[in-house]
């Protein structure tokens, strides 16, 4: 019965999302404006968390203005992501421009698999379409879309459908290394995107870095995997010059990750991401309680023997 209910819910969600995705972008942005009024003024979705995050990251900033702009963008992100379920490649490529893709293809030509480091900034879901404008490697490599499976199975299936619409394949976080080893044995080239700016659980904290005016716990698992597989690494810089238009630039970080000191890749990534956020803070995902775990509390847990130091 539980599976049947999940299937029915999924079909309903898919049907509604698909119908909405058929609307032109202009109509979607009208819906987004209406949704903003509901989310920001009526529901007040996580406004306390957003206000607290902005105040601590930018103690001298115009945070009320940034907050409103953020919620406008968040509503746009929601409808732009729905649009990915049915949008035609030629239409999508009018809304996302990829720069320096030739560098990625050049490394594929040399038989080198690549990895991307990116954040919850602008519309990261657009990474799923990076192969569309390629000249030589379109559809010829494995585009790994790393994700954390949702507890709600219906929503999980829907998001997989959205993300896999443009040649990508969703890979659960726990299966990344196994999949990479499998692809290497098959001699298939790959490009995996790693989003590193989530808040790790206490037991997964291996490194603290300065980030947006905070001493911040960060994941190092992505770097460890990249070093193990010796991938070429790009930072995916995303910008939104105007509504309905994104620019994604592939910026080389290193093609020899083992030549860098341990954790150096992670450090560089957070420095680059912070620089992007400071330029246009309204496009960062402020609704997450990013700094709920503090270094002081971490040290206290270690002192009490409740946590092992790394």
């Amino acid at each position: 019965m539980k599976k049947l209910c999940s299937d029915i819910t999924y079909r309903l969600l898919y049907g509604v999302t698909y119908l909405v995705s058929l609307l032109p972008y202009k109509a979607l942005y009208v819906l987004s404006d209406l949704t903003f009024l509901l989310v920001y003024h009526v529901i007040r979705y996580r406004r306390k968390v957003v206000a607290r995050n902005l105040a601590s990251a930018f103690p001298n900033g115009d945070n009320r203005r940034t907050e409103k702009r953020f919620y406008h963008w968040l509503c746009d992100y929601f409808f732009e992501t729905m649009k990915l379920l049915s949008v035609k490649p030629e239409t999508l490529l009018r809304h996302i421009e990829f720069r320096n893709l030739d560098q990625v293809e050049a490394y594929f030509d040399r038989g080198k698999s690549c990895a991307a480091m990116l954040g919850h900034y602008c519309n990261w879901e657009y990474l799923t379409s990076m192969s569309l404008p390629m000249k030589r490697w379109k559809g010829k490599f494995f585009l790994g879309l790393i994700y954390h499976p949702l507890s709600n199975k219906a929503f999980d299936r829907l998001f997989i459908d959205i993300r896999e619409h443009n040649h990508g394949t969703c890979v659960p976080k726990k299966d990344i290394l196994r999949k990479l080893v499998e692809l290497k044995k098959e001699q298939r080239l790959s490009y995996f995107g790693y989003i590193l700016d989530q808040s790790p659980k206490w037991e997964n904290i291996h490194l603290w870095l300065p980030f947006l005016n905070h001493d911040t716990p960060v994941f190092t698992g992505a770097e460890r995997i990249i070093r193990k597989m010796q991938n070429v690494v790009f930072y995916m810089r995303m910008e939104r010059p105007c509504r309905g238009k994104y620019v994604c630039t592939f910026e080389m970080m290193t093609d020899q990750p083992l030549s860098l000191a341990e954790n150096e890749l992670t450090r560089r990534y957070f420095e680059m991401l912070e620089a992007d956020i400071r330029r246009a803070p309204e496009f960062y995902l402020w609704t997450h309680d990013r700094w709920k775990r503090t270094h002081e509390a971490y040290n206290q847990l270690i002192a009490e023997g409740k946590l092992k130091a790394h």
Side-chain angles (χ1 to χ4, degrees):
M1 179 59 72
K2 188 175 181 179
K3 186 178 184 306
L4 177 61
C5 290
S6 179
D7 287 342
I8 293 173
T9 302
Y10 162 72
R11 292 179 185 279
L12 288 172
L13 285 171
Y14 186 96
V16 172
T17 303
Y18 186 80
L19 289 175
V20 172
S21 75
L22 295 176
L23 295 172
Y25 274 92
K26 287 184 178 180
L28 291 177
Y29 287 131
V30 171
L31 288 177
S32 177
D33 289 339
L34 295 174
T35 303
F36 164 77
L37 297 175
L38 180 65
V39 169
Y40 186 77
H41 293 288
V42 180
I43 299 175
R44 299 176 65 86
Y45 174 68
R46 295 197 177 184
R47 281 188 55 179
K48 289 183 179 179
V49 173
V50 172
R52 183 171 66 248
N53 283 340
L54 285 171
S56 59
F58 303 103
N60 300 314
D62 185 0
N63 293 329
R64 179 54 65 88
R65 181 168 174 263
T66 299
E67 180 183 305
K68 287 186 176 180
R69 287 187 171 188
F70 161 71
Y71 277 97
H72 272 293
W73 164 78
L74 184 65
C75 294
D76 282 358
Y77 161 82
F78 175 72
F79 286 100
E80 288 168 350
T81 300
M82 293 177 74
K83 183 70 176 175
L84 290 175
L85 187 60
S86 68
V87 66
K88 294 180 179 179
E90 58 271 21
T91 300
L92 181 58
L93 290 177
R94 290 198 292 269
H95 296 270
I96 175 69
E97 175 187 352
F98 291 101
R99 295 177 179 173
N100 296 343
L101 255 180
D102 57 317
Q103 292 186 25
V104 179
E105 292 199 271
Y107 278 106
F108 282 161
D109 290 340
R110 292 164 54 183
K112 301 278 289 183
S113 287
C114 301
M117 287 184 162
L118 65 154
H120 289 97
Y121 187 77
C122 286
N123 196 328
W124 56 91
E125 304 292 351
Y126 275 51
L127 170 64
T128 63
S129 60
M130 64 167 282
S131 72
L132 296 180
M134 283 187 166
K135 297 176 181 177
R136 301 183 303 280
W137 284 90
K138 180 179 179 179
K140 296 181 181 179
F141 67 99
F142 185 94
L143 177 56
L145 311 174
I146 301 167
Y147 82 110
H148 182 72
L150 301 175
S151 57
N152 186 300
K153 299 301 181 184
F155 277 101
D156 191 57
R157 288 172 65 185
L158 176 63
F159 269 89
I160 289 174
D161 288 337
I162 290 172
R163 288 167 174 160
E164 293 188 344
H165 182 69
N166 289 303
H167 306 300
T169 302
C170 288
V171 180
K173 291 172 64 175
K174 64 181 180 62
D175 297 332
I176 300 170
L177 188 56
R178 180 189 61 78
K179 187 63 180 180
L180 283 166
V181 171
E182 176 185 304
L183 291 168
K184 191 171 185 178
K185 287 181 179 178
E186 296 173 356
Q187 297 185 329
R188 291 185 65 190
L189 297 178
S190 64
Y191 192 104
F192 274 69
Y194 298 87
I195 297 181
L196 284 72
D197 58 338
Q198 304 101 322
S199 182
K201 295 180 180 179
W202 289 114
E203 63 270 19
N204 293 328
I205 297 174
H206 295 85
L207 182 66
W208 295 81
L209 292 176
F211 178 60
L212 292 172
N213 206 32
H214 293 81
D215 191 14
T216 305
V218 300
F219 283 110
T220 58
E223 178 175 339
R224 293 198 299 272
I225 292 173
I226 287 169
R227 288 170 66 90
K228 185 177 182 65
M229 303 307 298
Q230 298 185 47
N231 293 146
V232 178
V233 191
F234 291 89
Y235 174 73
M236 295 194 70
R237 184 179 303 286
M238 291 201 73
E239 301 167 277
R240 198 190 201 215
C242 61
R243 194 179 200 184
K245 175 72 174 182
Y246 291 95
V247 177
C248 180
T249 304
F250 295 78
E251 295 195 2
M252 168 62 66
M253 296 183 74
T254 182
D255 59 1
Q256 298 182 40
L258 293 180
S259 69
L260 300 178
E262 188 177 357
N263 297 326
E264 180 60 23
L265 261 178
T266 304
R267 294 179 190 276
R268 290 185 186 182
Y269 158 80
F270 275 97
E271 289 173 358
M272 297 170 83
L273 178 60
E274 178 166 342
D276 287 344
I277 295 169
R278 289 192 178 279
R279 276 192 290 270
E282 62 267 30
F283 302 134
Y284 189 57
L285 191 62
W286 296 106
T287 48
H288 283 188
D289 196 358
R290 183 67 182 82
W291 295 287
K292 59 187 175 183
R293 297 185 177 91
T294 67
H295 210 155
E296 293 77 14
Y298 176 78
N299 290 337
Q300 183 63 35
L301 288 172
I302 291 174
E304 294 173 357
K306 297 179 180 178
L307 194 67
K308 290 183 179 180
H310 294 285

